Amino acid sequence: MTHSFRRTAGAALALLATTGIAHAGATLDAVKKNGFVKCGVSDGLPGFSYTDDKGNVVGIDADFCRAVAAAVFGDATKVKFTPLTAKERFTALQSGEVDVLSRNSTWTSSRDTALGLNFAGVTYYDGQGFLVNKKLGVKSAKELDGASVCIQAGTTTELNLADYFRSNKMKFTPITYDKSDESAKALEAGRCDFLTSDQSQLYAQRIKFANPDEFVVLPEVISKEPLGPAVRHGDDEWFDIVKWTLFAQLNAEELGITSKNVDEMVKSATNPDAKRLLGTEGERGKDFGLANDWVVKVVKQVGNYGEMFERNVGEGSALKIKRGQNALWNQGGLQYAPPFR
Amino acid sequence: MSTQQPGSLPSKPPFWNDPAVRATVFQVIALAAVLAVGGYLFHNTQVNLANRGIASGFGFLDQTAGFGIVQHLIPYTETDSYGRVFWVGLLNTLLVAALGILFATLLGFVLGVARLSKNWLIAKIALVYIELFRNIPLLLQIFFWYFGVLRHLPAARDSVNVGDVIFLNIRGLYIPRPVFGDAFLFVVIAFFAAIAGTVFLARWAHRRQAETGQPFHTFWVGLGILVGVPLLTFFLSGMPLSWEVPKLTGFNFRGGMVMIPELASLLVALTIYTAAFIAEIVRSGILAVSHGQTEAAHALGLQHGPTLRLVIIPQAMRVIIPPLTSQYLNVTKNSTLAAAIGYPDLVGLFAGTTLNQTGQAIETISITMAVYLAISLLISTLMNWYNKRKSLVER
């Protein structure tokens, strides 16, 4: 879209014109000066970030930005959300249009290196899957030879799909759209035979269909898609804050600290790990350039990782996705945060 | 200042008061300032990119792209390079721009003439068309054709079937693809021979008319040669042409040629939108030729057709061509709206997907802008050349 072209071109120009200072702490100073965290989210994906009927941006990606705002300002509402398409997102982060990109983006080597990003962790372990119309009678992705596929432009899914079909000696016709909504609508209309994306997205898009039961997710998962927030290269202090906001939420869940009991825990916790995390022992918050009780604010206002997950994508949400790989490491999942000390 | 000697020339003013020197100095300063700003931006970009660890340079053009493209006029697979993606995108852009210019011109001329028709109904239809389509934003028209019309075509298995050779469904319009035999070369040669023959005939007829005043039906005879000679060769060489008919296999039609709905809706919208503007340009061109010209031509005994063809239109063209050039440039630039409906044009493929996969915003955006600039300048140059040929020769 020319709109997105203009935005990308604008961002490219911003790269030309902004002055070349990137000293550590520059982002935190700028965020504090603005009074809010500039957060890049998706252009509408249930469970991750979309605008609900009351006009609030909700979802796990949006909540993570709120957690960062709570860490910096002690106030989770101090976030400005910028919806970005898959094509726009990295340029927007590179050029400083957003401070954190929390937009169901896959962590890959080229994005860490050539694109000049730093992924701050994994908020959701995902994998690429296929959504097809039941009428086709397809039971496996291996039967999709010669099919048309709707897909979002500028994603890892686009590349994985080509790899998968090539390695299985199958052919496909890609119909590429800028927005995930557009590809989902195209599948619903029959412009393509199947939709491929991260599995979480497939479930999220399916609940938006008029007849969700007509569509089925195939069993194959063809890739690893660790989705997480990213920041720019060159500002380690900001990188640490974003990274440890997520780790703090994970550690809080591991220690049983929730938004409901956090005030109680501040007063009564005896576990040294919990006391350090909540800032009642030691001065770990100062190391980040934040208030000593920043984790309390994060957990109180946004919740620990488990709460954030359940509320947005888990059993408490319309998506009803099980914790699975996203359970804590001591409960059979992959979510593991380094110790807070 | 020295006092002026009587009889001698006034002495030259000091160089800082010399207008010529001053003009040069200011130009040098202005140029240096522009260069300095440019150099500063360039240096700044380099430092910024290096600080943020973002790759730069044009090496990415040789890297493997790894994604598929729905429509490619040259062979393309996922293992080809980003450089190849660039060419695929450029050709897709040129395709839609060229077809758009062609159809918009044809439709625009018809409408422009219709708007001036003495037939009340025809004139009003043209009027309504023009006012309707030139006043609705192009993007909305593209959405209308794509989402409003072509999205409601039947699924592949329930295609609209024309004689088992042409199929229309939500995936596009499938038509048979000609497969040329070796002997088809003779037909091509015959066709070019026929063109040469027609040109020769036209010159001969022109000369004869100039000498004797005898007109000759060049158009009909020329058409006869152009169609007849290749057709005769075609039958004589044993009809070296077969058709590959599209066939429903598995999920989709295979074989034949397909026009994808993304291309169709973009082309239809561009044509309809631009034709409305061209119609007005044509009308203004025709109205610019004074009525006295028509009366003079009639007084000389020219009939209505030759009057229009030999007197009115050649004069109208002088008024029409310059604004027409702007419309052609608009078609080319407006074709970038393709990205809104997923047509794989240069902006979508190169300034979009390639930029995103490689992260090299500055390189891809610069290349893309340079290409559009080059295409536009090329169209301008061609149209200016044509304009010069058509312009009034002053004696």
Side-chain angles (χ1 to χ4, degrees), chain B residues 137-301:
Chain B
L138 178 57
L139 185 62
L140 293 182
Q141 294 195 33
I142 293 176
F143 282 154
F144 171 76
W145 291 107
Y146 188 59
F147 293 111
V149 178
L150 297 180
R151 262 295 154 80
H152 299 288
L153 289 172
R157 281 165 207 195
D158 315 312
S159 300
V160 179
N161 181 340
V162 184
D164 272 336
V165 288
I166 297 173
F167 301 91
L168 180 68
N169 60 46
I170 192 168
R171 308 273 166 87
L173 177 67
Y174 292 79
I175 55 170
R177 189 164 67 90
V179 182
F180 301 106
D182 292 338
F184 198 80
L185 187 65
F186 294 117
V187 182
V188 176
I189 293 171
F191 179 66
F192 281 107
I195 291 178
T198 315
V199 170
F200 182 77
L201 178 81
R203 287 202 180 150
W204 170 81
H206 194 76
R207 205 170 54 232
R208 195 182 73 146
Q209 191 173 5
E211 282 167 8
T212 65
Q214 291 276 318
F216 186 78
H217 289 293
T218 316
F219 179 77
W220 294 110
V221 178
L223 193 70
I225 295 176
L226 276 180
V227 175
V229 174
L231 208 63
L232 199 66
T233 322
F234 177 68
F235 286 113
L236 285 179
S237 60
M239 293 195 278
L241 176 69
S242 56
W243 297 91
E244 185 192 276
V245 177
K247 207 164 157 267
L248 184 63
T249 36
F251 297 100
N252 284 313
F253 281 91
R254 293 201 188 171
M257 292 194 293
V258 58
M259 184 186 210
I260 55 174
E262 288 79 18
L263 172 62
S265 40
L266 183 64
L267 189 57
V268 169
L270 273 177
T271 301
I272 287 181
Y273 178 75
T274 315
F277 289 91
I278 292 181
E280 285 296 272
I281 292 170
V282 168
R283 184 170 73 105
S284 76
I286 292 173
L287 288 179
V289 181
S290 98
H291 192 59
Q293 297 281 327
T294 316
E295 287 172 346
H298 285 171
L300 285 172

Side-chain angles (χ1 to χ4, degrees), chain A residues 284-340:
Chain A
R284 291 284 76 84
K286 297 237 167 72
D287 300 346
F288 291 99
L290 300 173
N292 216 28
D293 65 342
W294 66 280
V295 179
V296 179
K297 303 273 203 248
V298 169
V299 176
K300 176 109 175 101
Q301 297 179 19
V302 183
N304 65 32
Y305 177 78
E307 289 177 281
M308 195 165 78
F309 188 97
E310 291 304 333
R311 180 169 65 234
N312 293 305
V313 293
E315 299 295 340
S317 73
L319 270 74
K320 305 221 179 315
I321 298 174
K322 295 202 164 44
R323 279 297 282 272
Q325 290 180 319
N326 290 294
L328 290 181
W329 60 283
N330 52 11
Q331 286 160 24
L334 296 171
Q335 290 291 4
Y336 180 103
F340 205 87

Side-chain angles (χ1 to χ4, degrees), chain A residues 1 8 15-16 18 20 86-87 91 94 113-116 143 146 148 154-155 158 162 174 176-177 186 189-193 233, chain B residues 44-45 48 51-55 65-66 68 70 78 146 151 170-171 251-252 254 261-262 339 342 352-353 355-358:
Chain A
M1 211 184 288
T8 321
L15 270 181
L16 290 170
T18 47
K87 272 158 81 173
T91 325
Q94 286 169 345
T113 54
L115 267 68
E143 298 165 31
S148 301
T155 53
E158 211 180 354
T176 318
Y177 296 96
R191 174 70 186 89
C192 46
D193 296 304
H233 259 194
Chain B
N44 211 3
T45 311
N48 272 341
N51 275 348
R52 293 177 189 172
I54 300 170
V70 59
E78 293 83 42
Y146 188 59
R151 262 295 154 80
I170 192 168
R171 308 273 166 87
F251 297 100
N252 284 313
R254 293 201 188 171
E262 288 79 18
T353 309
L355 186 162
N356 194 264
Q357 299 290 8
T358 62

